[in-house]
Amino acid sequence: MRNLQKLAAGALDEVLAGAALHQVLPRRLQQLQTPGERGALQDIVYGSLRQLGRLDAWLDALLERPLTDPELGWLLRVALYQLAYTRAPAHAVVHNAVSAAGEGWRRGLANAVLRNFQRRRAELDKLADEQPTARWSHPDWWIAKLQSEHPAHWQAILEASLLHPPFTLRINCRHGDVAAYLRRLNDAGLPAHQTGPDAVTLDRAVPVHSLPGFDEGHVSVQDAGAQWAARLLDAQAGERVLDACAAPGGKTGHLLERSEVELVALDVDAARLARVQENLDRLQLKATLVAGDAAQPDAWWDGRPFDRILADVPCSASGVVRRNPDIKWLRRPEDIAQFAAQQAVMLETLWRLLAPGGTLLYATCSIFHEENAGQVQAFLARHAGDAERCPLPEPLSDGVLLPAAEHDGFYYALLRKT
C-alpha cells in the first residue's frame, strides 16, 4: 500500500501541475505487477480527483499552518481519501502513509493529521459542507455557472458528477438484442439491467474480456448517453456518412452496427485512429479511416457530399467529469469561449460537406450553454435560408441530457440542410 500511496500522490502532483490524467496514470500503472494493484491505484487517483475539493478542506482544517511540502501534502490527501472512501483498513492506511512520509517532523505530522481526521470526521464533514468548493468538489466558477445555466438541476448535476461512473455496454444488434444478452450475463453470474434501447449496465465493472461475446464483437463498452448519437443520426443503408472526430470509435462502431453505410471515420490524430481500427476489427466492420482536420477539409475531402454527418466536436467535457475528474480542476473559465470558437468553425466547415436534404448531428459531451444551445442558435441565425432544426424524442426534446446516475451528460442537435 505504501507504494500505491506514493504513486498516487505523484500522479496527483503531475495532474494538478497541468498534465492530463490519461497521460500521467498509464506510466504509473506500468510500475505495478498485478491487476489488483493497478485497479487500486486507478481508484485512488480517480477518486481523489473527484473528491479533491473536500480533501483540500479537510487538510486545511487539520493543519495548524499551511504546508510548505507539496509532496507530503499529496500523500496526505491520498491517505485521507483512502480513510474516507475505501475499504482499506484504517490502521494500514495510516501506518503506510506515515512510513512513506519520511523521517522526523514529516513522519510526526502525517501521523497526527491522519489520527486527528479519524477522531474529528463528523466535525470536518460539517466544515466542508459549508464551503461550496468542498461540498461539491468543483471549482467555484464551475458551480456558479451551473447555478446560472441550470437553476433547477445544478445540485443534481454536481451530485451525479461525484458518483463512480456506471459500467455500461452497447449491444451489437447484429448479434442479438438486449433481452438475450441480459440472459447471457445472468448465466455468467453478472447481474445487470437495461438502461437504454441498446444499453445494459452491470452492477459492477469487470474486465472486458470476461464479458460474454466481447472478443467476438457482440458488445462494446459505451455510456448510455453516448449511445444516442447513432440512433439520432439514423443513417440508412447505402448512405454516405462522415463521422468527424471519430476516435476512439465508439460511435463509429454503433453507426455501422445499425446500418450498412459508406462511412468515413475522420480524426486529426493518426495515432488515435489506430484505436478506431482496433474497435472495428473486433466488431468485424469496415470504414474508411482518414487522418485529417475537420476544420480543413481541402486536405482530405474528395468533393463528394455526405448524406449524414456526425459532428462530435471538441468541447469542455463538462458532462463527463466523473470519468475525467482532472478536467474540472484544469479547465479555466476562458477555455469555454475558446472551445465555442473552435466549434463554430468546425460546424460551418462541415456544413459545406453536407448534401442538400442531408442531416448533421451536432454533439458535445458538455453541459455549458455556449457550447450547446448558444452555438446552435447562432448557427441557425446565420443559416436561416438553408438550415432547420429537427425535433428530437424524449428525453432529449431540448437536446440536453444532464448527468445522472446511469448516464453522462451530452448535448445533441439534429440539423437538416434545406
Side-chain angles (χ1 to χ4, degrees), residues 232-252:
L232 294 175
L233 190 62
D234 196 27
Q236 302 298 304
E239 290 184 330
R240 181 168 159 82
V241 179
L242 173 65
D243 182 2
C245 311
K251 298 179 181 70
T252 309

Side-chain angles (χ1 to χ4, degrees), residues 11 37 142 172 214 258 294 354 363 380 398 411:
E37 288 178 321
W142 192 300
N172 186 342
F214 179 84
R258 288 175 53 85
L354 187 66
L380 290 172
D398 60 356
Y411 177 83

Side-chain angles (χ1 to χ4, degrees), residues 8 60 79 141 146 173 182 187 207 213 231 257 308 343 346-347:
D60 286 346
W141 72 266
L146 292 180
C173 59
L182 282 172
D187 292 343
R231 186 168 290 274
E257 289 170 3
R308 315 257 176 170
Q343 292 153 3
M346 293 182 69
L347 190 50

Side-chain angles (χ1 to χ4, degrees), residues 210-231:
S210 69
L211 293 167
F214 179 84
D215 291 334
E216 294 76 28
H218 297 181
V219 293
S220 299
V221 177
Q222 188 181 36
D223 183 81
Q227 293 185 33
W228 276 102
R231 186 168 290 274

Side-chain angles (χ1 to χ4, degrees), residues 9-20 23-25 27-28 74 330:
L12 294 176
D13 189 16
E14 275 197 72
V15 168
L16 273 297
Q23 296 172 330
V24 169
L25 189 57
R27 296 198 303 271
R28 284 168 169 75
W74 293 119
L330 298 180

Side-chain angles (χ1 to χ4, degrees), residues 170 172 174-175 217 252-260 276-277 279-287 289:
R170 182 187 76 241
N172 186 342
R174 299 188 179 208
H175 295 282
T252 309
H254 199 189
L255 287 165
L256 291 167
E257 289 170 3
R258 288 175 53 85
S259 188
E260 297 279 355
V276 178
Q277 188 61 62
N279 281 321
L280 293 179
D281 289 344
R282 183 179 59 83
L283 295 169
Q284 302 177 51
L285 298 169
K286 295 186 181 298
L289 273 58

Side-chain angles (χ1 to χ4, degrees), residues 389-410:
R389 185 169 184 175
C390 306
L392 297 180
E394 292 292 343
L396 289 163
S397 57
D398 60 356
V400 180
L401 190 66
L402 296 176
E406 294 194 324
H407 57 74
D408 293 334
F410 294 89

